[in-house]
Every structure is written in structure tokens, then in C-alpha cells.
């Protein structure tokens, strides 16, 4: 059977959503208004990681891709940005194994996905 994250990411893709509503629903239930703070921190911190990734990709410094992509993989998954998490995981694994074919393209796709994620989170926070 395929991994649950892949299935959820495929489902999110199919619905056109960058964020898995079930994960968010569970978090809001658990955390209440603290969820907004968590999202805020994520929206503030993620661009730093993306910048690190972009510099590393442009410099072709493959080892420098590992830490920020690992961090993004975890934080994105925790908040239900499953496709973003999956993309970060691919970069991390590719960097670790040395078979990441196009780091610059991979990072730019990741940045595009973060734009979708951040837009949806901002709409969600405004709606609260």
C-alpha cells in the first residue's frame, strides 16, 4: 500500500488544496487559538529555510540542502502542508543520496508550493 502521506498529498492535489483540512481541523481542536500562532511562526520561518535552499541550490552545495529541507519536511507535515512536505522530503533524500537531478528547479517548485500554502493559511487566519 502507498504511504499515507503520499495518498494524502495526492488527495490534496486532487482537491486543489495545498493544505490538508483534516490535519488543520485536528490541530485547531487540539490547540484552539494557539494554532494561529503556530501558523504565524511557520509563515515567518519558512522563507528563511527557502532562502537557505535557494542559495545552496544556486551554489550547487548539495550538502547544504539537507538541513533546511529536513526542517521544512517536518514543519510542513505538522501543519498539513503535505505536498510541500513531500517535495521537501524528496530534496532531502536526493541531497543525502547525491542523486538530486536539478536542485535549482526542485527548490523553485518548492517555493511555488509555499506560495500556495501561505496564501491558503493567510486566508484561513483572516476567516477566523
Amino acid at each position: 500500500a502507498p504511504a499515507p502521506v503520499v495518498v494524502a498529498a495526492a488527495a490534496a492535489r486532487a482537491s486543489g488544496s495545498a493544505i490538508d483540512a483534516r490535519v488543520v481541523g485536528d490541530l485547531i481542536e487540539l490547540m484552539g487559538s494557539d494554532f494561529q500562532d503556530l501558523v504565524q511562526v511557520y509563515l515567518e520561518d519558512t522563507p528563511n529555510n527557502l532562502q537557505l535552499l535557494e542559495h545552496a541550490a544556486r551554489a550547487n552545495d548539495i550538502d547544504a540542502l539537507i538541513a533546511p529541507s529536513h526542517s521544512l519536511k517536518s514543519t510542513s507535515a505538522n501543519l498539513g502542508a503535505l505536498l510541500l512536505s513531500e517535495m521537501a522530503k524528496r530534496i532531502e533524500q536526493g541531497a543525502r543520496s547525491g542523486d538530486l537531478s536539478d536542485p535549482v528547479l526542485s527548490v523553485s517548485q518548492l517555493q511555488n508550493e509555499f506560495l500556495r500554502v501561505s496564501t491558503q493559511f493567510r486566508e484561513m487566519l483572516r476567516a477566523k
Side-chain angles (χ1 to χ4, degrees), residues 82-105:
L82 301 184
L83 181 56
L84 185 64
S85 175
E86 193 189 312
M87 292 165 83
K89 178 180 164 187
R90 281 198 208 121
I91 293 174
E92 182 194 3
Q93 288 175 338
R96 284 186 195 280
S97 62
D99 61 7
L100 188 61
S101 57
D102 191 337
V104 173
L105 179 65

Side-chain angles (χ1 to χ4, degrees), residues 26-58:
D26 291 346
L27 281 171
I28 290 173
E29 217 167 281
L30 275 172
M31 301 179 69
S33 61
D34 289 341
F35 171 72
Q36 295 177 351
D37 299 336
L38 190 67
V39 169
Q40 213 55 61
V41 169
Y42 174 77
L43 292 177
E44 284 164 19
D45 285 356
T46 300
N48 302 337
N49 276 322
L50 288 173
Q51 212 171 14
L52 290 171
L53 285 171
E54 193 180 342
H55 288 313
R58 287 186 192 286

Side-chain angles (χ1 to χ4, degrees), residues 56-71:
R58 287 186 192 286
N60 208 27
D61 183 351
I62 302 305
D63 284 347
L65 292 168
I66 295 172
S69 58
H70 179 80
S71 168

Side-chain angles (χ1 to χ4, degrees), residues 6-26:
V6 177
V7 172
R13 241 196 313 268
S15 70
S17 174
I19 301 161
D20 186 304
R22 280 167 312 185
V23 175
V24 169
D26 291 346

